Amino acid sequence: MFDQLKQRWRHFIEAPPGQRFKEHFRQRQHAHPSALHKKILAIGGGILIMGAGIFFLPAPGPGFLILLIGAMLIAEESFMAARFLDWADLRIRRWIAWSLGVWHRASLPAKLLLALGAVAILAAIVLGAFSLLFL
């Protein structure tokens, strides 16, 4: 089982950005087409796992990984979700490249201000997710 997961993960990572989720969808549908009730369970489970990922984003490490696992579950069963995730992947990569460029050119006081702003945005996201999920 773990060998199969490793192989699927390697194939996912090796696919070009902007094509990863669609390729993952095609591969999954070709190998094991799902019945409607299994699709609904997989998409629902993916949404729940992504919610947990958002909740754990402030923690170092696991939040992003949990979010990615939930997204992959959804993308396995929905081509529209796979297309959206590929689109978002490209936009996020561009934003990260731009952000790193700004970070490297910034002075120390600007870096401190940027870090403080990022912490404030992250706190707002966590507070919003917490209030949506638990209040």
Side-chain angles (χ1 to χ4, degrees):
M1 182 171 113
F2 287 112
D3 291 335
Q4 183 183 13
L5 285 174
K6 283 182 187 178
Q7 182 182 14
R8 286 172 61 190
W9 178 253
R10 267 190 242 114
H11 189 269
F12 179 79
I13 293 299
E14 290 170 357
Q19 299 294 320
R20 291 177 176 173
F21 289 98
K22 288 184 281 196
E23 183 62 31
H24 186 71
F25 170 83
R26 287 185 192 109
Q27 196 175 48
R28 168 82 169 122
Q29 293 303 311
H30 180 69
H32 306 287
S34 300
L36 181 61
H37 69 283
K38 287 185 179 181
K39 285 182 186 254
I40 292 170
L41 284 174
I43 291 172
I47 290 170
L48 287 174
I49 291 171
M50 285 183 75
I54 291 170
F55 181 76
F56 284 109
L57 271 177
F64 183 73
L65 183 61
I66 293 169
L67 206 63
L68 184 61
I69 290 169
M72 286 180 69
L73 271 174
I74 294 170
E76 282 183 350
E77 302 299 337
S78 169
F79 187 70
M80 285 179 40
R83 283 181 45 197
F84 171 76
L85 290 168
D86 280 331
W87 176 85
D89 181 27
L90 292 175
R91 297 322 178 270
I92 290 169
R93 285 174 179 275
R94 269 192 240 142
W95 182 79
I96 289 172
W98 176 82
S99 299
L100 288 175
V102 168
W103 180 261
H104 290 300
R105 290 188 306 269
S107 64
L108 182 61
K111 286 181 180 180
L112 291 173
L113 190 59
L114 285 170
L116 185 61
V119 168
I121 290 170
L122 185 60
I125 290 171
V126 169
L127 182 61
F130 181 80
S131 65
L132 282 174
L133 293 172
F134 298 110
L135 300 178

